[in-house]
Amino acid sequence: MSGIVVLGGGFAGVWSAAGAVRLARTAGRDLPVTLIDPGDDLVIRPRLYQADPDRMRVSLDRILGPVGVRRIAGTATAVHTADRTVTVVGRDGETAEIPWDQLILATGSRLVRPALPGAELLHNVDTLPAAAALDAHLRRLPELPAGPGRFTAVVVGAGFTGLEIATELVDRLGALAATEAATEQIRVVLVERADTVGPELGPGPRPRILEALATLGVEQHLGMSLNMVEPDGVTLSDGTRLAARTVVWTAGVQASPLTADIPAERDRSGRLAVDEQLRVLGVPGVYAAGDTAAAHAEPGHPVLQCCQHAVQLGKFAGHNAAAELFGLPAVPFTPAPYVTCLDLGSAGAVFTQGWDRQVAATGEAAKVRKRKVNEWWIYPPTDDPGELLRQADYRFSLRDIPTPFP
């Protein structure tokens, strides 16, 4: 038996592998599970807007090794659904064809980079290398000659990621400027194509978001887009030029290009159409999880490309892929109620519940919850096979995990 092959070492991939092993152990069956990813670590992607991003990772071998998951450090370059193989290029440059009985595609999403003059100067927090490059860039700012824009950051996109990095940058830039006793102005500027901040977050949390931006002094240029980037500034669509040494792009993501190898319907983000059990429609043996799956959390509400749904999708996909191999009943994807917790830097946070995003907590109470999410709940257990498999149950809630926070 070739068993289950999981492509992707993010949240969806890790929990897919763990969910498959859990069902096999529960059923008293042997099941080879292989995870393929070019990196050695699970990157804690939701934390990459914070300082010191290089510490935001956990060894995949410490998570999955104790439960017997085989790991291949390589890049999947092609999926062949007809003969059920994956082409993988290893770190040594050698190519191998890896067979599978069931495949779980969990290769995540990628930031859509714009085609505009100076796009190569844009920073982002989409990947660990990119976040580390931004962090290094910021730390070098005090070494630059004093002048307009040295401690100015322009953040393009006022969605979830844009708001978190913009509010975080206020204090980061302030601390860096203080090291030089600089008299230059600290500026963080949000540029958003829509006519309001957080357009996808709805009206519920918006008053609190606007209050936080005002408190922190984050400027807003709404109804505008970015036209050009230069080393010392940007030009907006209305002709406004802003002096800035730092420009961060956060607008738009697309599902992994590997979804194009699956002969199935895809949505506008490139996500694969799946049934209630997360099987890719019309493609036997293939499941999708995380940012590659166009699943529905509830009727009328597609899942979002976020950590919360990635974790849950992974557990269900792993369980159902193993269940299909063993001839056991599959279970429909039924995620926990949708919530959001938006970090607003030193202005606190805002926690919402439901698809209409009713505000449940703000300020310090919401900030404590955000810390629980970022620093505890989303981290899988390491070196603890029993706890990993306990949490791999699709019925398990991460909020059932005790935390060291009050």
Side-chain angles (χ1 to χ4, degrees):
M1 176 188 286
S2 299
I4 293 175
V5 169
V6 179
L7 297 184
F11 288 101
V14 163
W15 287 110
S16 291
V21 172
R22 178 191 171 277
L23 182 61
R25 298 272 181 96
T26 301
R29 306 283 291 272
D30 291 327
L31 175 64
V33 177
T34 301
L35 185 139
I36 300 173
D37 190 85
D40 293 326
D41 302 307
L42 165 67
V43 175
I44 310 301
R45 197 174 177 192
R47 296 192 66 186
L48 294 183
Y49 68 94
Q50 297 178 298
D52 303 315
D54 193 58
R55 62 192 171 93
M56 312 303 186
R57 53 182 172 174
V58 184
S59 165
L60 287 168
D61 287 340
R62 291 187 61 194
I63 301 168
L64 296 172
V67 297
V69 173
R70 174 193 180 204
R71 187 172 68 86
I72 296 177
T75 301
T77 58
V79 176
H80 312 284
T81 56
D83 58 7
R84 298 201 177 196
T85 61
V86 176
T87 302
V88 178
V89 178
R91 291 176 178 169
D92 58 2
E94 296 295 319
T95 299
E97 298 295 327
I98 308 298
W100 47 270
D101 295 311
Q102 302 279 70
L103 179 75
I104 302 176
L105 189 66
T107 42
S109 60
R110 304 291 184 271
L111 187 70
V112 178
R113 296 184 64 86
L116 53 81
E120 70 279 2
L121 300 172
L122 293 169
H123 291 278
N124 68 78
V125 291
D126 189 54
T127 65
L128 183 56
L134 172 61
D135 194 61
H137 164 83
L138 293 172
R139 293 176 188 278
R140 289 193 297 268
L141 291 178
E143 302 169 8
L144 298 178
R150 179 164 62 146
F151 296 110
T152 295
V154 174
V155 177
V156 185
F160 199 99
T161 301
L163 289 167
E164 292 203 320
I165 185 64
T167 51
E168 179 80 6
L169 282 173
V170 172
D171 285 341
R172 287 171 72 177
L173 288 170
L176 290 164
T179 64
E180 292 290 296
T183 59
E184 296 146 84
Q185 184 181 8
I186 308 302
R187 294 179 70 191
V188 176
V189 183
L190 270 173
V191 177
E192 168 57 50
R193 186 186 299 270
D195 60 2
T196 186
V197 298
E200 79 280 17
L201 295 174
R206 190 164 297 133
R208 176 56 188 141
I209 293 170
L210 292 172
E211 178 186 343
L213 295 178
T215 298
L216 296 171
V218 176
E219 303 170 36
Q220 303 162 46
H221 286 260
L222 305 177
M224 298 184 197
S225 55
L226 187 65
N227 270 16
M228 182 171 65
V229 187
E230 297 174 284
D232 61 351
V234 302
T235 303
L236 305 184
S237 55
D238 69 345
T240 299
R241 191 179 190 283
L242 301 171
R245 290 289 189 169
T246 305
V247 189
V248 184
W249 180 268
T250 71
V253 294
Q254 193 76 8
S256 161
L258 277 179
T259 58
D261 286 354
I262 311 299
E265 179 184 346
R266 291 181 291 279
D267 69 7
R268 292 176 58 185
S269 297
R271 300 184 300 177
L272 295 161
V274 295
D275 64 15
E276 288 186 337
Q277 287 76 37
L278 305 182
R279 293 178 290 229
V280 176
L281 294 176
V283 188
V286 179
Y287 290 74
D291 289 359
T292 63
H296 278 77
E298 297 174 17
H301 291 292
V303 296
L304 301 182
Q305 291 172 305
C306 64
C307 175
Q308 176 186 348
H309 285 150
V311 169
Q312 297 174 63
L313 285 161
K315 294 178 183 182
F316 277 88
H319 177 98
N320 286 339
E324 184 176 347
L325 279 178
F326 298 148
L328 299 174
V331 294
F333 176 59
T334 50
Y338 177 62
V339 299
T340 62
C341 200
L342 176 71
D343 198 344
L344 295 171
S346 58
V350 58
F351 171 58
T352 70
Q353 296 176 322
W355 293 100
D356 56 353
R357 297 182 174 88
Q358 292 296 312
V359 175
T362 60
E364 185 58 28
K367 190 75 166 184
V368 169
R369 185 181 182 90
K370 184 65 174 182
R371 284 194 63 204
K372 291 179 180 180
V373 172
N374 271 12
E375 300 175 27
W376 201 258
W377 282 335
I378 63 175
Y379 279 74
T382 54
D383 307 317
D384 192 342
E387 181 61 16
L388 180 72
L389 296 183
R390 183 178 81 92
Q391 294 187 25
D393 188 335
Y394 62 86
R395 294 160 293 196
F396 184 86
S397 170
L398 290 180
R399 290 184 294 278
D400 294 333
I401 307 170
T403 76
F405 309 120

